[in-house]
Amino acid sequence: MPKLQWFQYLSAILAISAVLLVSNTHAQEKADPAFEQWVKEFRKTAIKSGISAEVYDQAFKGITSPDQWVLDRAAYQPEFKAPVWQYFDNRVQKRAIERGKREKEKMKPWLDKIQKRFGVDPNILLAIWSVESSFGGILGNDKVMRSVIRSLATLAYADPQRKKFGRQQLLAALKILQAGDIEGQHLLGSWAGAMGHTQFIPTSYQAYAVDIDGDGKRDIWNSIPDALATAANLLSSNGWQRGKPWGYEVNIPARKMPAGKMSVAEWEKLGVTRANGEPFPNKKAIAELKLPDGRNGPAFLVFKNFFVLKRYNNSDRYAIAIGLLADRIGGGAPLVNDWKRPFTPLDSVQVEELQKLLKQKGFYTGEIDGKAGPGTRKAVSEFEKSAGVEVQGYPSKEVLELLKKQ
């Protein structure tokens, strides 16, 4: 066989082998008899819940063991341990703001249609899309997008804390397959089964999914309009107030502030003012004071829509991050009182530069994503140790400058 033909033949064989390797991932893993027995027993529960035997068997075809990666992620979730400034820096950042503005122009006809129907601010939807999936960027990441059926079966079988959640969501996922909105091989999601551009767990998908593009499928995986409309439906159904703010950054006096909700007029009497110096538009609105980083960090008066955002993710940090990112996508100014960081911060583009330099020098093996997660901080610490400077592990301007000099 001529050399060129041999090379082409070998390339074709390697390509076919790669496809087979990917398609047979489950089959090549060592089967777990106990898990297989659990799947067999759960089949009875699924059929009693209205799932056909054919749908169930097809959904579990080739799945013979739990996903250890899912269990590892369930046991260790570093985002809950992150400092406040890191949480917000990784979400309300330059790249997300710029991308959000571009998507706003690109998606304007759909966003207008969604806003008319559900009353939700398009900037809020864009912020959710960014925070939940990096504008769909994670959907192509094989490291984090797993089989929803296998992930939820793993949690139901092997995670005592999430057993009930796993069973409930697994039944809902099987019903999604049975409804025909998505094929089994494309039913992918996070370790906990969150799916699509706006990361809906199966039961939430069942409750709120919308087919706004009119193709007959509620497709939050491939249809951005459907995904954004689904997010808007969730917020609208939980009491989103059309045209109302989520909250404002405020300045607070040195005295101790009361907990609970009261009118803006009452907060003003206590000395609370908007940080940008503008007046509050509605003095009668009921608001609550939030201090996510204590008295030394930014303070916010939040309204009804803030608490509606928490129906998406029951976290003050999350709701504030969505609100702040939405404000910036809408052309708003940065915080007046920034987060208190023990270093000079970098924007997301500079963090990418930092990651690239750390990778070039052999300290970093993760993704170049502009987000200063645990891997980046560990790499910074290793670099600082090798450079003979104080080890702090912060992705700072000082470290970036030192890297450039080395």
Side-chain angles (χ1 to χ4, degrees):
M1 185 181 290
K3 186 175 181 180
L4 180 59
Q5 287 183 329
W6 169 252
F7 177 77
Q8 292 171 332
Y9 174 78
L10 181 61
S11 297
I13 291 297
L14 290 172
I16 293 170
S17 299
V19 171
L20 291 174
L21 179 64
V22 171
S23 63
N24 291 310
T25 298
H26 298 313
Q28 291 187 8
E29 293 177 354
K30 186 177 180 180
D32 181 336
F35 177 76
E36 289 181 305
Q37 181 61 33
W38 182 90
V39 171
K40 183 179 179 180
E41 290 297 320
F42 192 74
R43 185 177 188 269
K44 300 172 187 175
T45 301
I47 290 173
K48 286 181 181 178
S49 298
I51 307 301
S52 74
E54 182 182 2
V55 166
Y56 188 89
D57 294 340
Q58 186 61 36
F60 276 97
K61 187 176 181 179
I63 299 177
T64 60
S65 63
D67 189 336
Q68 185 58 46
W69 183 86
V70 169
L71 295 174
D72 291 343
R73 287 301 301 267
Y76 178 65
Q77 298 173 54
E79 63 268 25
F80 292 115
K81 303 173 184 178
V84 171
W85 54 263
Q86 181 189 316
Y87 183 91
F88 289 97
D89 284 353
N90 282 343
R91 290 161 179 80
V92 189
Q93 35 103 330
K94 181 179 179 182
R95 188 176 297 277
I97 295 165
E98 292 176 349
R99 175 73 183 274
K101 290 179 178 179
R102 293 196 301 271
E103 293 294 342
K104 187 176 181 180
E105 288 299 314
K106 188 191 304 183
M107 297 293 297
K108 189 177 187 306
W110 285 113
L111 289 168
D112 288 347
K113 184 175 182 178
I114 293 167
Q115 184 176 26
K116 183 177 180 180
R117 178 169 168 181
F118 296 105
V120 179
D121 180 358
N123 297 319
I124 289 287
L125 299 178
L126 291 163
I128 288 173
W129 187 19
S130 172
V131 170
E132 293 294 341
S133 72
S134 294
F135 299 101
I138 67 166
L139 301 188
N141 187 336
D142 294 338
K143 293 180 180 178
V144 298
M145 288 292 105
R146 322 290 278 198
S147 160
V148 168
I149 298 299
R150 188 181 184 210
S151 295
L152 294 173
T154 296
L155 295 177
Y157 167 73
D159 186 337
Q161 290 184 318
R162 297 176 178 83
K163 180 179 180 180
K164 183 178 178 181
F165 169 87
R167 291 172 69 91
Q168 178 190 41
Q169 298 304 322
L170 178 55
L171 289 172
L174 290 165
K175 288 176 181 177
I176 291 170
L177 288 179
Q178 187 156 281
D181 284 310
I182 190 77
E183 298 79 20
Q185 67 268 30
H186 298 131
L187 185 62
L188 304 176
S190 71
W191 67 267
M195 310 174 301
H197 283 269
T198 43
Q199 292 291 278
F200 270 61
I201 59 173
T203 51
S204 293
Y205 171 93
Q206 285 186 304
Y208 303 111
V210 173
D211 171 27
I212 203 166
D213 65 13
D215 68 351
K217 293 184 178 182
R218 302 180 299 168
D219 187 357
I220 63 173
W221 298 267
N222 303 297
S223 170
I224 296 170
D226 281 5
L228 297 180
T230 296
N233 189 27
L234 182 153
L235 297 176
S236 175
S237 297
N238 283 284
W240 184 268
Q241 295 182 333
R242 184 187 294 260
K244 302 293 185 180
W246 68 272
Y248 298 116
E249 184 190 2
V250 295
N251 290 327
I252 58 175
R255 75 176 80 168
K256 184 177 180 180
M257 292 284 100
K261 300 176 182 178
M262 62 180 75
S263 71
V264 167
E266 290 174 297
W267 285 112
E268 281 191 307
K269 287 179 182 178
L270 295 174
V272 176
T273 59
R274 287 187 67 180
N276 63 8
E278 295 181 8
F280 289 105
N282 183 0
K283 304 294 179 71
K284 295 180 181 180
I286 301 300
E288 186 172 329
L289 184 65
K290 294 291 183 180
L291 306 173
D293 198 21
R295 293 190 63 91
N296 293 325
F300 304 92
L301 271 189
V302 299
F303 304 93
K304 167 71 174 177
N305 285 343
F306 169 87
F307 297 97
V308 176
L309 285 172
K310 290 184 67 175
R311 294 300 299 267
Y312 211 106
N313 182 324
N314 190 25
S315 158
D316 282 0
R317 287 188 183 187
Y318 177 87
I320 291 171
I322 294 297
L324 291 176
L325 180 55
D327 289 348
R328 297 297 305 278
I329 291 172
L335 289 172
V336 175
N337 305 304
D338 204 358
W339 308 103
K340 298 297 183 285
R341 307 172 186 84
F343 60 92
T344 308
L346 303 173
D347 63 31
S348 54
V349 176
Q350 291 171 317
V351 172
E352 280 196 6
E353 183 181 7
L354 178 85
Q355 290 171 329
K356 288 176 183 176
L357 289 171
L358 288 168
K359 180 164 279 194
Q360 288 172 10
K361 297 178 186 299
F363 295 102
Y364 183 62
T365 58
E367 294 184 42
I368 308 299
D369 58 6
K371 296 181 179 180
T376 301
R377 298 198 309 279
K378 181 179 178 182
V380 169
S381 295
E382 293 297 325
F383 166 68
E384 289 173 325
K385 191 184 299 181
S386 72
V389 299
E390 182 183 358
V391 177
Q392 295 181 312
Y394 298 130
S396 66
K397 185 172 289 187
E398 294 78 12
V399 168
L400 180 58
E401 292 302 320
L402 185 58
L403 273 166
K404 290 177 179 179
K405 293 176 183 177
Q406 293 276 316

